[in-house]
Amino acid sequence: QTIYGGALAIIQPAKIDGVVYMSQDQGETWTRMTEYSHQGGSVEVNQTEAGYYARIEVDPNNPDILYCCNPRVVKSEDGGRTFRNTRWTGRNKCHVDTRGMWIDPLNSNHILNGNDAAVSETWDGGEHWSQKDRISAQQFYDISVDDEFPYNVMGGTQDNGAWFGPSRNRNSYGVYPADWTYLPTGDAYYVLHDWWNPEWIYFESQFGGSSRMDFRTGATLRLQQRTSAEEAAAGLPAERYQWDAPIFLSPHNPGIVFICSQHVWRSQTRGDEGTFERVSPDLSRADPERIAQSKLTNMQYATIYTFAESAVKPGVYWAGTDDGNLQVSTDFGNNWTNITFEFWNENGTPKRGVRGDHIPFDRWVARVAPSAHELLRCYVAWTGYRTHNEDTTYIFVTEDMGKTWKDLSNGMMDPVNDIVEDPDNSDVLYLATDYGLFLSYDRGGNWINMSDDAPDAIIMDIDIQKRERDLAIGTYGRGIYLADIWPFKEFSAEVFAKDAHLFEPQRAVKWAMIERRGPTYGEFAWVPNPPSVANIYYYLKEDVESLKIVVTDLSGNEMTTIQIPQSGKKKGLHHRTWNMSRRTPRPAGGGQARVPQARRGGPVPAGVYRVTLLVNDEEVMTHDLRIVDDPILNPDKP
């Protein structure tokens, strides 16, 4: 609702059109304003089901002018009695789906339009618009990374398509929108790149509109399976796909592709036409009354929302539905066990004699995450945000294929969207929530916020690039972030009990920044490349007086001594960088005429170097650091 000048206005659905009511006594009494008639009446006030938009903005300089946010913004100039289309949407104007507006109180023609493609601005009441592309406001649902070098990041956004782009490039000016590829979609969700045959990419639009594209030719194949006319005549219900329906590539063979409706579908030949087979019964509860209710909205219900295959053993499938069923199959989908009903009766009463903690009965199964380290272990997150209007955290783990469960939520009040296990350290978990990103290094015993200064945004999905150990973070409203989690693979109680610890350095790449593309002045969308440096991490249990990091070659010749500021001597985890150049001290007496240029400075060659951490002038730990050339300069080298 909107309050202005003592008057309130609300949208109340009347069938699909919507009606605006006004109150001038703070809600004590209401007057219906909107008039619909066959001729000369109002256009639709609410173009979708109430609740998705249903936002009114009142001109601060004229209370009779109202705007209703919709796929297409509508405007009233008579206090809400009639509305007309503003015609703000379209090419060279605004993106569809306006979520919010701001009207300048000093100039009603100056308007900001917040939509599914970020923010647009007009100074002439909507005749002309400029898109504020510099604002990173992408609304990602699902993201993933591939194994290319450098690797790519991809994901689907709210009504702004699916996108595929580099984590970095060799352009000294940075990464630009032109470096990204748009995949033909509307609202978009899963995007997966075949890690064995990179010419194939999979993506989808809303309600399971999944596709496969050949990057070489652009040829696109639809994957979605529908109930045939013969099946419908035989009484089989239509396939139901969630708004955000899973696509999954087998970790054992990416040519095995899964898509999910209320059934699990599997193709063993990359989704070629006619190769999908149904490998499950209806895994939902299929409540006909609630399915009928969902059809009155723009949503589906009684569908599979999350699916995964164990990376430890082929044919172990986990699936979760939006109506609360957690299901598992250990024989390639031939037989399924409804784990939920091992703990609950059909009327929602808990069964007696159950060992361990009770998993939720009727919450949305948000994520299944089978362990890549232990076959019998699986993490599962539920959410009651959409079904019960609650912020309660539901995270559980099983160590025996679902027979017993342990609650890992620790009383958190934060809806969970994703949980990911570290690929190198089975004790480290990452949790994506509505209120940030959390980390556990004791397998869910405790959770800590990963960042004190990260944007306050909903994190919908996360994925780990295993070779680089980068964490890709997909937010709903602030785009994608990449975080270096290299040292996390050594996180343990034993490490943090030490006075000081030097983490094993990651190999460093001498990226060849040989390109000069794109503008450098003005306001435009871009992101700088990560610096071409060697990253060095260390941990201090307590503050120290003196600390040095010395880099030498394998013969003991000093390459550099990394300067440590006072803040780097405080307790905690620290990060320093080396630019992979020599920086030796000046010889006594000043001057460097007799010191060879090769020793005075300049980049070091590829090879192995030694990094030593010294605390209070005592050597604590030493690790080797490998530096490699950019493979574009030496394509024959690995």
Side-chain angles (χ1 to χ4, degrees), residues 131-427:
Q131 183 73 11
K132 300 305 173 184
D133 282 336
R134 187 68 181 89
I135 299 173
S136 181
Q138 299 83 13
Q139 302 161 297
F140 277 94
Y141 282 100
D142 299 284
I143 62 167
S144 65
V145 296
D146 63 17
D147 288 329
E148 299 299 291
F149 191 79
Y151 69 89
N152 296 292
V153 185
M154 61 213 78
T157 65
Q158 168 65 41
D159 207 21
N160 205 29
W163 294 89
F164 174 95
S167 59
R168 63 164 302 134
N169 59 21
R170 296 175 175 88
N171 184 6
S172 62
Y173 296 160
V175 180
Y176 290 84
D179 294 310
W180 284 71
T181 297
Y182 170 76
L183 303 170
T185 43
D187 294 283
Y189 305 95
Y190 284 82
V191 184
L192 301 171
H193 199 194
D194 189 314
W195 46 265
W196 186 260
N197 297 299
E199 62 267 27
W200 302 113
I201 190 164
Y202 302 83
F203 54 90
E204 70 169 339
S205 292
Q206 61 267 42
F207 301 126
S210 51
S211 301
R212 183 195 76 191
M213 176 185 283
D214 186 337
F215 264 142
R216 298 166 301 179
T217 65
T220 302
L221 175 69
R222 296 281 289 178
L223 303 181
Q224 188 179 53
Q225 301 300 297
R226 290 295 190 186
T227 304
S228 67
E230 294 78 8
E231 291 172 330
L236 268 69
E239 294 298 312
R240 301 185 300 272
Y241 291 88
Q242 187 45 248
W243 181 254
D244 183 353
I247 306 176
F248 189 84
L249 305 185
S250 171
H252 307 282
N253 179 350
I256 300 176
V257 182
F258 300 87
I259 60 174
C260 298
S261 55
Q262 70 267 40
H263 305 102
V264 177
W265 296 85
R266 180 184 66 203
S267 166
Q268 301 188 72
T269 55
R270 298 185 301 276
D272 287 344
E273 190 171 354
T275 64
F276 274 102
E277 55 180 337
R278 189 186 290 120
V279 293
S280 81
D282 185 340
L283 297 184
S284 75
R285 298 178 192 176
D287 182 334
E289 181 178 350
R290 299 197 69 176
I291 291 174
Q293 289 176 343
S294 72
K295 291 180 179 179
L296 301 176
T297 73
N298 192 33
M299 300 301 292
Q300 283 278 22
Y301 191 67
T303 69
I304 298 170
Y305 183 69
T306 176
F307 173 87
E309 180 184 22
S310 168
V312 178
K313 183 180 179 181
V316 176
Y317 303 156
W318 292 84
T321 69
D322 55 23
D323 56 3
N325 280 355
L326 175 63
Q327 306 257 14
V328 66
S329 171
T330 59
D331 57 2
F332 294 91
N334 291 308
N335 296 280
W336 290 81
T337 298
N338 190 333
I339 294 175
T340 304
F341 285 97
E342 298 293 310
F343 292 80
W344 299 87
N345 294 313
E346 290 191 5
N347 60 4
T349 58
K351 290 185 176 180
R352 296 181 178 179
V354 171
R355 293 182 296 116
D357 294 325
H358 263 75
I359 59 176
F361 171 68
D362 57 352
R363 269 51 173 185
W364 195 303
V365 185
R367 191 71 71 194
V368 292
S371 170
H373 299 276
E374 298 289 341
L375 173 62
L376 302 183
R377 180 183 301 157
C378 184
Y379 298 93
V380 180
W382 285 259
T383 176
Y385 181 75
R386 284 179 275 196
T387 56
H388 293 75
N389 193 31
E390 63 185 16
D391 285 344
T392 308
T393 298
Y394 297 102
I395 319 163
F396 290 78
V397 63
T398 179
E399 301 285 353
D400 53 13
M401 200 68 78
K403 294 183 177 64
T404 61
W405 293 84
K406 181 181 179 181
D407 186 352
L408 303 179
S409 63
N410 288 323
M412 295 173 66
M413 295 295 291
D414 192 350
V416 176
N417 301 308
D418 194 12
I419 183 169
V420 172
E421 180 188 56
D422 192 282
D424 298 301
N425 185 342
S426 62
D427 290 335

Side-chain angles (χ1 to χ4, degrees), residues 540-580:
L540 299 174
K541 186 177 180 181
E542 300 293 343
D543 297 356
V544 299
E545 292 293 329
S546 170
L547 188 145
K548 289 194 300 185
I549 297 175
V550 178
V551 182
T552 66
D553 62 19
L554 295 184
S555 298
N557 298 309
E558 183 178 333
M559 299 291 103
T560 190
T561 295
I562 299 175
Q563 301 300 315
I564 307 297
Q566 194 61 36
S567 60
K569 301 171 187 176
K570 303 292 185 181
K571 66 179 181 180
L573 179 67
H574 296 277
H575 171 231
R576 305 301 294 171
T577 63
W578 175 38
N579 64 1
M580 297 180 283

Side-chain angles (χ1 to χ4, degrees), residues 52 57 77 87 90 111 192 196 256 308 459 562 578 594:
Y52 192 65
E57 297 292 344
E77 295 179 336
R87 306 191 184 281
I111 299 171
L192 301 171
W196 186 260
I256 300 176
I459 299 176
I562 299 175
W578 175 38
R594 295 184 181 181

Side-chain angles (χ1 to χ4, degrees), residues 621-635:
M621 291 184 70
T622 297
H623 280 298
D624 286 347
L625 164 65
R626 185 166 62 96
I627 295 176
V628 299
D629 286 323
D630 188 329
I632 200 172
L633 301 179
N634 295 282

